[in-house]
Amino acid sequence: MLLNRREFISLSLSTLYLLTHNLEALAGDAVEIFDLGIASGDPTQDGIILWTRINPNIHSKLNKDLILEISQSPEMKESSVIKIPGDKIIKERDYTIRLTIDNLKPGKTYYYRFSYADVPSMIGRFKTLPAGNVENYRMGFVTCQNYADGYFTAYRHLANEDVEFILHLGDQIYERIYGKARVPGRDLAFPSGHSIALDLEDYKYLYTTYLSDKDYQLARAMHSFIYIWDDHEYANDYSFDYEKGFYKLPKHPFENDREKVLNLRKAAILAWHFYTPSRAKLNLNAQNPLEWITIYRDFKIGELAHLICLDERSYRTPQPCDKRYASSGCEDQYKTSMLGENQKFWFYEKLKQGNSWKIVANEVQFVQGKINGLYGSLDAWDGYIKERQEIIEFLNKNNINKFVALTGDRHAGLIAEIPTEFKENYEKIVGVEFMTPAVSSISAAEANWWKDYGVKDADEYAQLEIKQNPWTKYLSHRVWGYSILDIDKSSAKCQIVSVNKYKKDSDKEIAATYQYIPGNGLVKF
């Protein structure tokens, strides 16, 4: 897909140089050697994680050293050079390399590239987080990218956006094959021969397939990513059974086999770690499965904002009541926990730090969503009502109203105020929720999830949800793409960008833009 003239004109010279160079690299020898591209992740004020993989077929024959260059020039002038010996590129990590780079300067743009057998990779770009006084900041956020459900064209447009980093809210892969692909050339087949990932090789197959997408590679080269995960990186709708000490995997082949469930968990963690540039902590030798990986972590954006990344899957108790969708609810909604005690304590401590914007990477819908007396999903925060209300009361008690929940999971675009009480004539709000649509995953408009609510289609469902849940100001099941968050000292603005997942060369459109000013609520642009 080529950039259109308007996009070229809007780009800075350094960005234009980089995009032109990388589009050429994606068509050259670098593709064969760096078959999954390059990436950076988890920026701090003075550091970054850099990542790549060498094609196993090539490295097994050549066993060459890998060279990394880092520069403040897109032309890679005056570079610092690091050599990674060939014997460090090993099969046990699927020939991936991750490097922690420190002693960088805050708020600066850096460029990097790898070279192997004298063949350079694309040139990557990342920005360290700023320190001190920051007037404004811009980040992208994405979620839910089922490879078989559509093209990743959204990433080509996101690569061109002027953002500091991209927050990925989970479902980077899907652990199950849901039948024939919805677009040509995207069919999947697990090494195990099953329709669901059952071992490490299956998970590795998913990551290497998803990361082979050139639009995704371009976005990962052009911007740093901060990743959390949702459920499909492991198993759909999973939760933790604290009494039995292992994970519940509903309708999974391993559902009742503790050993297989835990072995699969380790495989999912390893695969995520191989291909995701992240500072998440691993401890796979711990006796307690809850300690095998710690994904929740935080990032300071100067004095302006504090990004708090949550893990709303690994510690949650099982979803309550009779069914996930179209449930009238039950008492168990007041006995569940989404975060677990340790993470919740950590979360509250982070919320109390300073008076900056609290930007929360939140996997599942936070605000209440009921249609005709039935909850939309008890897998979301509606299934964890007591804990949600505890968080809202904590925000209210501590006078925190610069609170923004960035949400994925639902495969829809949603913008809502967060009231102190979910009632028709609510009087006070403590923040907002900005939900980004899926990059490509199937939406309610393509399925029949809405039938259980007595409505004729997904559009009527959306209209009723807005009407019956007045804090929700925007909802669409017919949008795919990504979102942009702009924050300054007085406001937070979200722009939902729609990109047709069925076309490789589709343009982008602005689906919705809303601004939040604490004390005044949401305003539509």
Side-chain angles (χ1 to χ4, degrees), residues 5 59 70 79 96 131 144 154 200 207 233 257 263 268 287 294 311 357 386-387 481:
R5 182 173 180 272
H59 188 65
I70 302 175
S79 298
T96 60
C144 300
L200 179 58
Y207 283 99
E233 283 87 351
D257 191 319
N263 285 339
Q287 282 192 323
T294 304
D311 181 346
W357 282 99
K386 181 181 178 182
E387 190 165 78

Side-chain angles (χ1 to χ4, degrees), residues 46-98:
D46 63 355
I48 195 72
I49 306 292
L50 298 181
W51 177 96
T52 193
R53 184 180 89 147
I54 305 303
N55 185 323
N57 294 327
I58 292 176
H59 188 65
S60 61
K61 295 176 183 177
L62 299 182
N63 193 30
K64 295 286 188 178
D65 295 340
L66 180 66
I67 305 298
L68 168 66
E69 300 172 80
I70 302 175
S71 174
Q72 290 188 266
S73 160
E75 295 86 6
M76 302 305 297
K77 298 176 182 177
E78 300 180 2
S79 298
S80 298
V81 178
I82 299 172
K83 183 172 75 172
I84 301 95
D87 59 10
K88 299 293 185 182
I89 306 170
I90 58 176
K91 180 180 179 181
E92 289 74 16
R93 290 196 297 266
D94 197 29
Y95 304 92
T96 60
I97 288 290
R98 65 168 61 228

Side-chain angles (χ1 to χ4, degrees), residues 184-241:
R186 310 284 274 197
D187 284 310
L188 300 167
F190 284 126
S192 67
H194 293 84
S195 61
I196 189 169
L198 296 182
D199 56 29
L200 179 58
E201 292 305 311
D202 284 346
Y203 285 114
K204 286 164 59 177
Y205 166 78
L206 286 170
Y207 283 99
T208 55
T209 301
Y210 280 54
L211 287 169
S212 70
D213 185 277
K214 297 301 182 289
D215 290 335
Y216 192 21
Q217 288 186 18
L218 187 61
R220 290 197 0 146
M222 293 296 293
H223 304 296
S224 293
F225 275 65
I226 295 175
Y227 286 91
I228 59 173
W229 65 15
D230 199 8
D231 51 347
H232 290 288
E233 283 87 351
Y234 176 31
N236 187 41
D237 289 355
Y238 76 87
S239 59
F240 193 74
D241 188 326

